[in-house]
Amino acid sequence: MSTVIASTRRRRQLALAALTVLLHVLVFDWFGGQLGRPSVRHAGVPDAMTAQLVPDDAPPPPAPVPPPQPALESPPPLPEVPPPPLPPLPPPPAASPPPVPPVAVADAGAPAATDAATDAAAVPDAAAAGQGSAAAAPAGVQSQQQADAPAPSPVPAAPAARRYRVDLPPPADITLDVVRIDPDGTRWDGDALLSWTIAPTGYKVRVEAGIRVVFAHVNLLTLTSEGTVGDEGFVPTLMTEKRRGRSLTASHFSRDVGLLTFSASQARYGIAPYAQDKASLPLQLAAIARADPQQLSGTVDIQVAEDRDAAIYSFQVAGQEDIETKLGRIATWRLVRPPKPGSYHSRLELWLAPERGWYPVQIRNTEANGAVTTQTVSNIVTKNAGS
């Protein structure tokens, strides 16, 4: 039995071997016929893949070495372009001299304490800071600039003035009550003092004005005038003005050169005969009336210096009238300076008292806006010359 099985198994193995050899012969014969034929590839049919059996213990194939890349050539350097030349710096601006404004007549206010009473409605603010300084120009530029600069405006000739005889009033302290009515009807009360002394060497006038606030007194204005006395009466050389919250200003009468100048402006004027300042004006009018009241007929024209300008004040006698004061009823002559377009816009009135040495016993200023300030004498104290 075992022999038969072994014989059958052997015959099967031989048949399989013969079949295997036959298949190999057929395959080799087919490949041999394909070797001389051109290769035809059909679109969409992938290439044949070759598989190779590799033993498990065989080392992995080396990684393919990429072909060497050609070295990148560095771009040629850009040509150097020189930077454009900088434009030349402009020369520094040359310092120009301050312009001299044209000589013009400004709006003139009331003389003496009247201007102070105008401030009773509100205490003015302090003056602003000064101007900055300019850089100096080179010598050559400065010389050329001076050559090109316009010549300063000529000083106008002093206006002709009517001649007056004068008789100076005795030194005195005149106290006045001040009442101001604003355009809206608001009332302010204050007081003023007009004081002066006369000596052989000259005179001094001082004006102070302020308002009363409850039980206190607030000074708003201080005016001073000093100079000499002579055939023209009061001959001022310097007036100073100090208002509350503002810087001190000065008006200079340079009589050696006949020039009137101001610290607060560049205005210049020729000095006219009988020229006065705001502080001395009421006393000069009293001196003219004392010498001869008939000199008040017609128009009394007087050049008056203020804090930064000057103008011709023109007074006319408006009549004679009595006024009520704390000293009683006083007979007066009323002088009026009406508004003058282009010069001043307020109306100024003065009352001179013949029975009181022609002292000014009332002063009123009516402003263009309707505000009215009135100063009325409350006391007069005469004093010796030089005291």
Side-chain angles (χ1 to χ4, degrees):
M1 181 71 181
S2 60
T3 303
V4 175
I5 294 173
S7 176
T8 301
R9 184 178 298 173
R10 186 171 182 83
R11 284 196 299 269
R12 289 179 179 176
Q13 290 178 350
L14 290 174
L16 289 174
L19 182 59
T20 301
V21 171
L22 180 61
L23 290 174
H24 278 81
V25 171
L26 293 174
V27 170
F28 288 151
D29 183 62
W30 184 81
F31 271 109
Q34 295 295 326
L35 289 177
R37 299 172 114 189
S39 175
V40 179
R41 298 183 61 182
H42 299 280
V45 179
D47 294 338
M49 299 182 61
T50 302
Q52 183 178 5
L53 299 177
V54 180
D56 293 338
D57 55 350
V65 179
Q69 299 290 334
L72 297 176
E73 295 183 1
S74 58
L78 297 175
E80 294 185 1
V81 179
L86 296 176
L89 295 176
S96 57
V100 178
V103 176
V105 179
D107 182 23
T114 306
D115 281 348
T118 303
D119 289 342
V123 177
D125 297 333
Q131 303 172 346
S133 58
V141 176
Q142 196 172 29
S143 300
Q144 181 64 30
Q145 183 183 15
Q146 292 176 354
D148 297 339
S153 302
V155 178
R162 176 182 167 187
R163 308 296 298 182
Y164 300 100
R165 297 188 305 277
V166 295
D167 180 13
L168 300 181
D173 290 340
I174 300 179
T175 305
L176 304 106
D177 290 331
V178 179
V179 176
R180 175 184 170 87
I181 306 297
D182 287 342
D184 61 359
T186 304
R187 176 187 174 109
W188 301 86
D189 295 312
D191 52 54
L193 173 66
L194 173 59
S195 174
W196 75 97
T197 59
I198 299 177
T201 57
Y203 78 91
K204 290 184 179 180
V205 176
R206 184 177 182 87
V207 176
E208 294 181 355
I211 58 174
R212 292 186 292 269
V213 181
V214 190
F215 300 106
H217 179 272
V218 179
N219 192 45
L220 297 179
L221 171 71
T222 300
L223 286 174
T224 64
S225 174
E226 59 184 60
T228 61
V229 294
D231 294 339
E232 294 184 0
F234 293 91
V235 184
T237 57
L238 174 67
M239 183 197 76
T240 63
E241 179 172 339
K242 180 66 175 71
R243 292 179 182 268
R244 182 179 177 86
R246 300 184 185 178
S247 301
L248 180 74
T249 60
S251 301
H252 300 273
F253 295 78
S254 301
R255 298 189 177 272
D256 53 341
V257 295
L259 198 62
L260 177 57
T261 58
F262 309 88
S263 66
S265 74
Q266 295 181 351
R268 300 177 300 167
Y269 297 90
I271 301 177
Y274 303 93
Q276 301 295 311
D277 56 48
K278 292 189 296 184
S280 63
L281 174 62
L283 301 177
Q284 180 75 358
L285 292 172
I288 293 173
R290 283 170 59 90
D292 184 358
Q294 296 303 317
Q295 294 184 110
L296 299 180
S297 62
T299 300
V300 179
D301 296 332
I302 298 179
Q303 184 185 40
V304 179
E306 298 188 302
D307 58 335
R308 56 185 302 118
D309 214 327
I312 302 298
Y313 283 22
S314 297
F315 291 91
Q316 295 178 341
V317 176
Q320 301 181 24
E321 61 183 70
D322 295 344
I323 62 172
E324 295 292 339
T325 73
K326 289 184 177 180
L327 299 179
R329 192 175 184 85
I330 300 178
T332 65
W333 286 33
R334 181 166 67 97
L335 276 63
V336 178
R337 183 208 69 179
K340 183 178 181 181
S343 296
Y344 41 79
H345 304 288
S346 62
R347 176 185 179 89
L348 177 63
E349 302 170 83
L350 289 91
W351 285 258
L352 304 180
E355 297 177 359
R356 299 277 181 168
W358 291 93
Y359 290 136
V361 293
Q362 186 165 275
I363 302 172
R364 177 176 296 157
N365 187 57
T366 304
E367 302 172 35
N369 63 3
V372 179
T373 304
T374 304
Q375 303 173 76
T376 305
V377 65
S378 60
N379 195 19
I380 300 176
V381 177
T382 58
K383 50 189 176 181
N384 298 326
S387 61

